[in-house]
Amino acid sequence: MRRVRCAIYTRKSSEDGLEQEFNSLDAQREACEAYVASQRHEGWVLLKAQYDDGGISGGHLDRPALQRLMADVDEGRVDQIIVYKIDRLTRSLADFAKLVDRLDAAQASFVSVTQSFNTATSMGRLTLNVLLSFAQFEREVTAERIRDKIAASKKKGLWMGGYVPLGYEASGRTLTTNPVEAETIRTLFILYEEHRALNLVAREAERLGLRSKRYVTQSGRDQGGQIMSRGHIHKILTNPLYIGRIAHKGTTFDGQHPAIIETEQWERVQAILSEQSAIPRGQFNSGRPTLPLAGKLFDISGERLTPVHTQKAGRRYEYYISHSLKTAAAPGEKGSGWRWPAHALEDRIDAAVRKHLRTAILRGLVLNADPQMLANMIARIDRGDLDLLALIDRVCIGRDKLEITENPERLSKALGVPVIDADPDCWTFQAPFTLRRRGVETKLLLEGDSIPRDETLLRNIAKGRAFLDLITSGQSVQQIAEESNLSVRRVQQTLEFAFLSPDVVRQIVEGLQPASLTADWCLKHEIPVDWTAQTRLFSAA
């Protein structure tokens, strides 16, 4: 008799009730276990591994337990998936089609305990599609009702949740003022009226110790409290929430929360912002802005990198990409080449030019400059008074270095002194770099840049060890969950980080772990207790 290895998958959309001793996930599992037991004569065997997703919607496939389950299916460790109802597996027809393709490829299948049909027949497949259609319809109707409720509530001036903005605290369906943070908001508006430049406001805010709002996410991550960037400050200055208004889809309504900024001051700031935005970063060509390195970037084969942009949720994302990525040979075929987030690349090139220019000045590549004048030049460079990207003629991006050519005439004009009339190669220099990938993000690190550490992963390790100390002192997982305001499931997942080997933790602290080894990856994969097995697993991550 063929042995059929069965894995039970359970899911609940919300976390309500998951803290109970016997919850919805347990009920689903109990029914599925009984069904597997009834099929023992067919060779069905229940696997010990549990695949439970608590508090996660079925409208997408980005679920830790489901991802682990499908990985086990792909590796041939599961023959049959058992679910209480089809909508526990997915509520999307498109997602279901993807799952079926993976199951077919692995010669595996699934069974619904409460919905009996045979997908081997045309009628069975029709029944399945009808059930999934209704599940998807139910999800979409629910989403429409929620969107309508949010719109109606915002028209009444109610706060509909989300991250609480700096300056306020949540109080039911409205906001109350946080006096300390409100003073930060008022200071930012005053600074912008005084300086009329976001970069100067950001620099002054950092000097004054102004920080973004600190908060703890539902997953227990401590975030915020960081230096505010220009973009963050711009978002604050343009947020009508601070004059007592609630924004929704381009329209604002009178809010039920107190204003922090007077309307007159807010309108003055908007007028300055509008005036300053008339000359955005970069140059204009027929009224259309271009990126500052457009036409100056090339790859190692001499191919020019083209500036492109995309729009998502009203936000503009800009990139420099190789020409081959724009001209794939056939539909669906991917070209090869560079694709850089524009402003991140510009910042690193700016840093490379800044470093080289300081060295060039100190080496005496300018004429008629006394020591005080040289010190003033370096100070201007360090303060960011010069548009360094405008001094560049060409940048070639190699496999492991940037080759940057500066324009001596523009440099002379910017510094206000003549430069040495020397070999043009004096103004071409190389800046070695390494690529650091973390998930889908790629960072370019110049020599001397510190390796970015995964602070989220480190926080999870610290929290996991703290939870382990509490357990060894006699506390239960339930008690820890209640005291930490987390679900039992989240505490159990976090505890796994406490069993990482010292070598792995050292690599994470030094930023040398595999790029794909993130907190999310650990949550989606079963981490062995054996340290040798951990090393093998993470090296393949």
Side-chain angles (χ1 to χ4, degrees), residues 395-419:
V395 178
C396 178
I397 305 177
R399 293 185 180 86
D400 57 1
K401 61 179 178 290
L402 301 173
E403 186 174 276
I404 302 174
T405 301
E406 299 166 324
N407 185 294
E409 289 76 20
R410 288 199 292 271
L411 180 59
S412 175
K413 184 177 180 181
L415 294 175
V417 294
V419 298

Side-chain angles (χ1 to χ4, degrees), residues 177 179 181-191 259-261 265:
T177 304
E181 294 178 359
E183 194 58 37
T184 296
I185 297 298
R186 296 188 187 99
T187 301
L188 290 175
F189 274 79
I190 292 171
L191 287 174
I260 294 177
I261 300 299
Q265 184 184 18

Side-chain angles (χ1 to χ4, degrees), residues 215-278:
Y215 57 92
V216 178
T217 65
Q218 289 184 346
S219 62
R221 296 177 181 174
D222 186 11
Q223 295 188 350
Q226 305 295 318
I227 295 170
M228 287 183 280
S229 65
R230 293 174 55 196
H232 191 170
I233 294 172
H234 183 272
K235 188 174 182 179
I236 289 174
L237 296 177
T238 56
N239 192 345
L241 195 78
Y242 295 114
I243 55 171
R245 306 280 292 176
I246 292 288
H248 182 65
K249 295 188 179 298
T251 306
T252 63
F253 306 95
D254 289 331
Q256 297 186 14
H257 63 281
I260 294 177
I261 300 299
E262 295 293 333
T263 303
E264 294 77 10
Q265 184 184 18
W266 193 82
E267 289 177 347
R268 289 197 304 270
V269 167
Q270 305 317 301
I272 299 172
L273 286 167
S274 178
E275 175 187 335
Q276 296 297 94
S277 67

Side-chain angles (χ1 to χ4, degrees), residues 322-379:
S322 296
H323 184 67
S324 58
L325 292 180
K326 296 184 66 177
T327 57
E333 181 180 339
K334 294 182 179 179
S336 61
W338 294 113
R339 178 183 178 88
W340 294 103
H343 301 311
L345 180 62
E346 290 162 7
D347 287 344
R348 302 322 301 141
I349 293 176
D350 182 282
V353 173
R354 188 181 311 277
K355 179 179 179 181
H356 175 261
L357 201 50
R358 290 179 97 263
T359 304
I361 290 174
L362 293 174
R363 281 169 45 209
L365 295 184
V366 295
L367 292 176
N368 305 323
D370 58 36
Q372 184 58 48
M373 185 178 293
L374 291 175
N376 291 339
M377 289 181 202
I378 293 176

Side-chain angles (χ1 to χ4, degrees), residues 221 438 453-463 497 500 504 508-509 513-514 517-522:
R221 296 177 181 174
R438 173 111 341 117
R453 300 194 307 177
D454 191 333
E455 299 296 339
T456 300
L457 186 52
L458 288 171
R459 283 195 296 270
N460 275 281
I461 293 172
K463 191 172 294 184
F497 289 98
L500 293 176
V504 171
I508 294 170
V509 169
Q513 77 276 17
L517 179 55
T518 63
D520 287 339
W521 188 93
C522 291

